[in-house]
Amino acid sequence: MNIFYSKLKKVPSLNKEELFLYIFESSPDSIIQIVTHAGLTYSGCIVNIGITRDEGKTIILNLIDNKGNFADRILHISINRIESVELINKKEIIEILSRGKITEGEHYEISGKLEVKREIQGLSDSLLKIYGLNIGVPEITIPDDGFKLNRISKLIGIIQKVFQDILKEEDALASWKTKYNSIVFDEGEYLDVKGAASVLHIYFPFNNLDAPLIEQKELTHKLMSVL
C-alpha cells in the first residue's frame, strides 16, 4: 500500500462544519465538490462562511464551470443541506483531512533490489577508493517492497554524503580507521549511532515510509560522538 493511503488511515473523522472551516481558514484556494440533499452537484472554492437566523451555518462557493474556470456564479447554501463533500486535489487531501497534523511527506517511486545493492556496494567502494577504508559491504535487510527500496536508496545517498563530509577531517578519518572495519544499518524507531566491537551501527526506520528522511546535521552530530 502506498504512502498516500497509509496516511489516510490516520486522519480523524471531521464533521462538515469542521471540514469547511479548516478549508476556508487554511486552504482557501482548494477546489471542492459538494452534493446537496436534492442530488445537485456543485464545484468551487469557499469564499465565506457565516450564520443566518433561518438556515444556521452557511457557506458561499465561487463556482467553476466545466472547463475548470471560475464563473460569475456564487452559491449560498446551508451546511445542513449538503449531503457530501469531495476533495479534488490529492496533494491537499491529507493536509485538509488531518487539519495540518499530517503532511504528505516524501514521495517514493519504485526501485529494484539490484539497484539498491549496487548503491550499497558503491558506498563501500567510494570509502575504500577515496579514504582507504575497507569496510566490506554494509549490512542491511533488503525488503521486497519497491517503495521501501526507493526509500533505502535515498537514505544511502544521504548517509554517503554525510560520510564524505566527516571524513574530510583528518582526525575523524584517523579515528574511524582505528575503531571500525564494518557498518551495519539496523532498523530502529529513530536515528541513533553506536559503535561496538569494531562495528559501526546506524539505527533508523529504513523501512517506514511514513517517517521523515535522515537529517544530515543530526547524523553528523551522532557520528562525530562515536569517533
Side-chain angles (χ1 to χ4, degrees):
M1 183 176 294
N2 68 36
I3 189 170
F4 175 75
Y5 293 104
S6 295
K7 287 182 178 293
L8 274 178
K9 288 185 174 183
K10 299 180 180 181
V11 299
S13 297
L14 302 178
N15 61 43
K16 291 191 289 291
E17 182 179 332
E18 291 174 320
L19 180 63
F20 289 137
L21 186 59
Y22 182 81
I23 293 173
F24 176 62
E25 292 180 344
S26 304
S27 303
D29 296 329
S30 298
I31 302 294
I32 64 171
Q33 180 173 286
I34 66 169
V35 178
T36 71
H37 287 304
L40 300 175
T41 300
Y42 300 95
S43 296
C45 285
I46 301 174
V47 294
N48 204 351
I49 294 179
I51 301 177
T52 64
R53 183 176 59 185
D54 298 329
E55 296 182 304
K57 291 286 180 69
T58 63
I59 64 170
I60 297 176
L61 283 183
N62 186 177
L63 300 179
I64 59 175
D65 57 28
N66 293 333
K67 296 181 180 180
N69 299 317
F70 283 102
D72 293 330
R73 296 171 56 213
I74 298 295
L75 176 68
H76 179 284
I77 184 171
S78 167
I79 292 178
N80 291 330
R81 293 174 56 199
I82 298 173
E83 177 70 25
S84 62
V85 184
E86 180 180 348
L87 303 178
I88 306 298
N89 191 335
K90 177 180 178 180
K91 292 182 179 180
E92 299 173 342
I93 289 175
I94 299 295
E95 166 74 21
I96 291 171
L97 290 180
S98 68
R99 289 184 290 184
K101 295 180 180 179
I102 301 176
T103 59
E104 182 66 22
E106 187 70 24
H107 173 72
Y108 297 104
E109 299 176 350
I110 295 178
S111 295
K113 286 187 176 182
L114 183 58
E115 175 187 349
V116 173
K117 289 179 179 179
R118 284 174 176 168
E119 291 180 351
I120 296 172
Q121 181 66 59
L123 169 62
S124 175
D125 292 343
S126 68
L127 293 179
L128 177 61
K129 181 178 179 180
I130 300 173
Y131 305 105
L133 296 176
N134 187 5
I135 62 167
V137 180
E139 295 182 23
I140 186 171
T141 300
I142 303 292
D144 294 322
D145 184 87
F147 293 106
K148 292 180 180 179
L149 289 168
N150 188 243
R151 173 176 169 83
I152 290 174
S153 176
K154 292 184 177 185
L155 290 169
I156 294 299
I158 294 172
I159 291 170
Q160 182 167 344
K161 177 64 168 58
V162 172
F163 282 174
Q164 291 173 345
D165 290 342
I166 288 177
L167 295 174
K168 291 176 182 178
E169 303 293 332
E170 293 184 2
D171 291 345
L173 178 58
S175 177
W176 187 312
K177 287 182 176 180
T178 60
K179 291 184 176 181
Y180 307 114
N181 56 31
S182 61
I183 299 174
V184 176
F185 298 128
D186 297 289
E187 185 71 13
E189 294 183 6
Y190 52 85
L191 177 63
D192 198 12
V193 178
K194 296 180 180 179
S198 74
V199 180
L200 180 67
H201 291 266
I202 296 180
Y203 298 86
F204 195 70
F206 287 95
N207 291 288
N208 185 354
L209 297 177
D210 293 331
L213 296 177
I214 288 175
E215 290 286 344
Q216 293 189 34
K217 289 184 178 180
E218 184 180 5
L219 178 57
T220 299
H221 174 74
K222 289 184 177 295
L223 281 170
M224 293 299 293
S225 70
V226 298
L227 289 178

